[in-house]
Amino acid sequence: EDFMKEALDKASGELKKRYNQADKKAAKIIAYGAVKYGLLKVSPEKNVVFNWQQALSFEGETSPYIQYAYARISSILKKSKKTNLKADLKLLKEKEESELIKLLSDFPQIAAKASKDLKPHLAANFLYSLAQKFNEYYHIHQVLKADEKVRDARILLISSVGQVIKNGLALLGISVLEKM
């Protein structure tokens, strides 16, 4: 009880620091996600050393970092207005696009193994890698300002990344936010 109150207070403080306001619902989702991810990202045979500042950070291997990648994708998709499900994915020729596609293709096996072997840290670590790869991609390549056909392919790609992040966090019992 006190532990979760502390988590909520810290998440609210982090939101106030970043955005000058704290939405209670967002703070709760971030706080619960931070606690769950902080515990689940560690292999079951290792001891967990829980650090609030680290767990609630929007940088590094944390739930807020992954949730923020999802929120960024949601924002791009909202601005794009539509996802062309028939986009030509052959136009995705950049190294970072290939890396994202490869990671996405690994998700079903990782999710199955994490579930079968009762090792949620496999899914947690995968989601962090996916969020990292998305952020790297986003900083290097234009999505909304690319030529129309490339733009459509990139929107479909990041939409897929967002869906996998949402599904993967759901496996860990963590919710996402459309904006943070």
Side-chain angles (χ1 to χ4, degrees), residues 88-125:
D88 185 358
L89 299 178
K90 288 189 218 88
L91 297 172
L92 299 175
K93 296 178 179 170
E94 301 293 343
K95 175 179 80 92
E96 295 80 12
E97 291 165 338
S98 299
E99 291 168 349
L100 271 174
I101 291 166
K102 167 73 174 90
L103 262 178
L104 290 172
S105 73
D106 292 341
F107 180 65
Q109 298 92 305
I110 288 171
K113 185 167 177 48
S115 176
K116 183 177 150 300
D117 297 346
L118 302 176
K119 292 188 173 178
H121 72 283
L122 298 174
N125 299 158

Side-chain angles (χ1 to χ4, degrees), residues 27-47:
K28 189 173 185 178
I29 288 171
I30 292 168
Y32 281 57
V35 171
K36 287 177 184 176
Y37 190 89
L39 298 172
L40 295 174
K41 74 178 183 179
V42 180
S43 174
E45 54 277 348
K46 293 184 180 164
N47 289 330

Side-chain angles (χ1 to χ4, degrees), residues 25-77:
K25 182 182 175 221
K28 189 173 185 178
I29 288 171
I30 292 168
Y32 281 57
V35 171
K36 287 177 184 176
Y37 190 89
L39 298 172
L40 295 174
K41 74 178 183 179
V42 180
S43 174
E45 54 277 348
K46 293 184 180 164
N47 289 330
V48 176
V49 178
F50 195 81
N51 174 322
W52 274 122
Q53 203 159 359
Q54 192 179 348
L56 285 165
S57 173
F58 281 58
E59 301 298 322
E61 191 178 354
T62 66
S63 176
Y65 177 80
I66 298 166
Q67 289 169 313
Y68 189 72
Y70 179 84
R72 177 174 273 161
I73 290 167
S74 295
S75 171
I76 295 166
L77 295 176

Side-chain angles (χ1 to χ4, degrees), residues 122-142:
L122 298 174
N125 299 158
F126 168 83
L127 291 170
Y128 174 62
S129 297
L130 183 60
Q132 261 188 319
K133 190 56 66 186
F134 163 73
N135 282 326
E136 179 186 316
Y137 174 70
Y138 176 74
H139 288 297
I140 296 171
H141 302 288
Q142 292 285 337

